[in-house]
Amino acid sequence: MKRETCLLLLAATHAPLLAQHTRPNIVYIMTDDHTAQMMSCYDTRYIETPNLDRIAADGVRFTNSFVANSLSGPSRACMLTGKHSHKNGFTNNEHGIFDGSQQTMPKLLQRAGYETCLIGKWHLVSTPTGFDHWEILPAQGDYYNPTFIQMNGRHVVDSGYVTRLITDKALAWMDGKREKPFALFIHHKACHRAWLPALDDLELYEDKTFDLPPEFHDDYATREAAGKTEMEIGKDMDIVYDTKMYVSHAETPATRLSSSYERMIGRLSPAERSRYDAFYVPLSKTFYQEWGNGYNFLPRQSQSSIDGSRDARLLEWKYQRYMRDYAKVVHSLDQEVGRVLDYLETHGMLDNTLIVYTSDQGFYMGEHGWFDKRFMYEESLATPLVMHLPKSYQRRGAIDEMVQNIDYAPTFLDLAGAPIPKDIQGVSLLPLLKGKAATKEDKKAIKRWRDAIYYHYYEYPAEHDVRRHYGIRTDRYKLIHFYGHDVNTWELFDLKKDPHELHNLYGQPGMERVQKQMHRRLEQLQIQYDDPQR
Ligand code: SGN
Ligand code: CA
């Protein structure tokens, strides 16, 4: 046989393999509770996140990126299925078990010839399906010397800090020889409560005083459900568990969560514990000397009475401790994401990889006096979303279209050249990413982009006491219905005039037309997404 014929034959036999090689890899990095206010490419007020900003600087940054249900498990289920909670069945963390037999994006990627891997927080109770390799944290997982569950069911305790360990495992998996394109899901525990920093980062941000957000002293007037929560920094943040004021078991007053705190830091080795204590114990001693008793829960009204009183000073002190510890945890996250970027760069994989950085939801950094999430208000409805694009995708900079976490599944399938099943409720974001290469069809899709997103939160009664609610957000307005148990209230906000959502306009004179339109659009979306709760 002639050499040319031989080569041609060889190419023909390997055609599917060669074609697969040209399909981009996907590296999806999802953190827990990392909010856009604490990411400098979104917000420059608080901290620097140079590595996360690198993704945005070389790629795109979504300025209107939202979740469908602002809570870990539900958010993950939306991402995996491309469907709203009422369709994927995982509506809340407390009672949910994800039905892993259903259609999921990782399974469809596998079918399309991708190798799939998941490392880190899973939080969906059932065993992961659709991954060729996985290693997960049990439930919320731990920051220090965490346990991982392996595919064979073994629970193994690893030495080190969780953010670093998850990155190590993800890089090790990429090092393995693969013939196929891959989708790697790196799911961090950071920066979930109780914001325990890497030991190397304990000293960071200690000389920084963070400005209070403008709506810190919210009195919740006109918003009944907002006034009923258990997520106020003053009244609900635990002085031991959250702000880490702990001397020793004997010398620390017992709080509601102090035994949970002892369990978390009890995972440190004696040497690590000495380093940890060398930082927090002196701070704690000073704290208890200054505040004595009556330091823990502040009454609700103290949130709105800034008068230099003892309560107001303590409230601000708690806020500073919260911001500092959260910032430390984000610092290591940023560094570890940098390691992933460096790895892809040094291995020549940047041009052929879609890198996505996002979080399972946003978070309150003192806005409305809160920590935590759950509400459909902007800080927790939003989630950061930046992407580094494969070479042929030319869009750069800010993308303002409204996108949601149900869009990730169809986007990845589209990128893999796999068909997008009709029952997926999200839409592919690829048309927004093509830039100059956009086809007529893409331009049409952009022109007809969604004008509203739908949201539904279910976890009540539960921790933090956020009432169930659903609603829609357009580029200008937001309509929310809080329902069930002890509430049945509607809220309407003009996001342009009232970006902090302090003035509920529902039922106000002059709002009749907008209110009617928003109701109509809400009903349309509930029909479109087939939500039985309406
Ligand atoms: C834990 C936290 C809550 C948090 C939920 C859900 N409490 O229960 O503050 O809202 O997780 O978070 S803690 O005392 O255990 O820290 S989620 O991101 O996993 O949905
Ligand atoms: Ca979360």
Side-chain angles (χ1 to χ4, degrees), residues 3 41 58 64 75 80 85 165 221 255 269 311 349 428 490 527:
R3 192 171 169 268
C41 62
D58 295 345
N64 284 297
S75 202
L80 288 170
S85 306
L165 290 170
T255 62
S269 71
D311 280 359
M349 291 158 80
S428 168
W490 288 88
I527 291 168

Side-chain angles (χ1 to χ4, degrees), residues 32-33 71-73 93 121 123 140 192-193 241 257 360-361 372-374 463-464:
D32 197 356
D33 295 358
L71 198 63
S72 166
N93 286 342
K121 183 172 173 181
H123 211 200
Q140 293 285 6
H192 193 271
R193 193 180 180 192
Y241 181 79
L257 295 174
D360 64 344
Q361 16 60 210
D372 214 64
K373 54 264 178 174
R374 298 161 190 267
E463 195 178 2
H464 299 298

Side-chain angles (χ1 to χ4, degrees), residues 447-466:
K447 228 176 168 181
R448 288 202 228 109
W449 201 257
R450 62 162 74 88
D451 62 354
I453 55 142
Y454 183 61
Y455 181 89
H456 199 154
Y457 169 83
Y458 300 79
E459 195 176 273
Y460 183 84
E463 195 178 2
H464 299 298
D465 279 354
V466 175

Side-chain angles (χ1 to χ4, degrees), residues 120-347:
K121 183 172 173 181
W122 171 244
H123 211 200
L124 289 171
V125 189
S126 56
T127 304
T129 56
F131 300 98
D132 295 298
H133 178 77
W134 56 260
E135 197 170 349
I136 56 172
L137 299 169
Q140 293 285 6
D142 276 290
Y143 277 104
Y144 299 136
N145 303 324
T147 300
F148 283 86
I149 308 176
Q150 299 178 338
M151 289 182 85
N152 58 14
R154 281 183 59 215
H155 286 51
V156 177
V157 179
D158 268 291
S159 301
Y161 187 64
V162 70
T163 311
R164 175 120 200 151
L165 290 170
I166 288 172
T167 309
D168 286 347
K169 288 175 195 291
L171 297 186
W173 184 80
M174 279 198 283
D175 258 345
K177 268 205 179 317
R178 267 174 312 279
E179 312 225 294
K180 298 175 175 180
F182 67 82
L184 168 61
F185 297 80
I186 307 175
H187 291 193
H188 283 288
K189 171 184 174 58
C191 34
H192 193 271
R193 193 180 180 192
W195 319 290
L196 295 172
L199 298 180
D200 286 343
D201 298 334
L202 286 169
E203 308 281 344
L204 296 179
Y205 300 105
E206 282 303 307
D207 51 5
K208 185 163 168 98
T209 302
F210 293 88
D211 288 339
L212 294 173
E215 68 283 45
F216 185 73
H217 296 285
D218 191 353
D219 60 5
Y220 314 118
T222 73
R223 290 146 297 143
E224 187 184 336
K228 289 184 163 186
T229 69
E230 298 285 333
M231 50 193 257
E232 292 174 30
I233 292 173
K235 134 181 118 55
D236 306 308
M237 191 171 261
D238 193 277
I239 211 73
V240 175
Y241 181 79
D242 292 308
T243 56
K244 309 171 186 66
M245 292 300 101
Y246 184 85
V247 181
S248 67
H249 183 73
E251 294 166 278
T252 307
T255 62
R256 192 171 61 85
L257 295 174
S258 50
S259 56
S260 303
Y261 183 72
E262 285 173 337
R263 190 199 58 77
M264 292 188 311
I265 61 168
R267 300 185 69 90
L268 291 165
S269 71
E272 291 166 341
R273 182 62 184 273
S274 302
R275 280 182 77 190
Y276 185 91
D277 284 350
F279 178 74
Y280 282 114
V281 168
L283 282 178
S284 308
K285 284 187 173 158
T286 311
F287 174 82
Y288 288 117
Q289 268 159 20
E290 185 175 354
W291 296 98
N293 290 327
Y295 44 78
N296 195 7
F297 300 114
L298 293 165
R300 169 161 276 138
Q301 60 268 29
S302 66
Q303 298 262 352
S304 53
S305 61
I306 182 161
D307 57 1
S309 71
R310 186 183 152 89
D311 280 359
R313 270 198 307 126
L314 182 51
L315 176 58
E316 284 205 27
W317 179 92
K318 284 178 104 175
Y319 169 75
Q320 296 301 338
R321 280 256 49 90
Y322 167 47
M323 293 295 282
R324 286 173 187 158
D325 288 343
Y326 187 106
K328 293 171 203 200
V329 176
V330 173
H331 177 80
S332 72
L333 197 55
D334 182 70
Q335 284 191 319
E336 295 302 321
V337 171
R339 280 177 71 212
V340 175
L341 299 178
D342 291 345
Y343 179 96
L344 293 169
E345 191 168 9
T346 49
H347 287 76

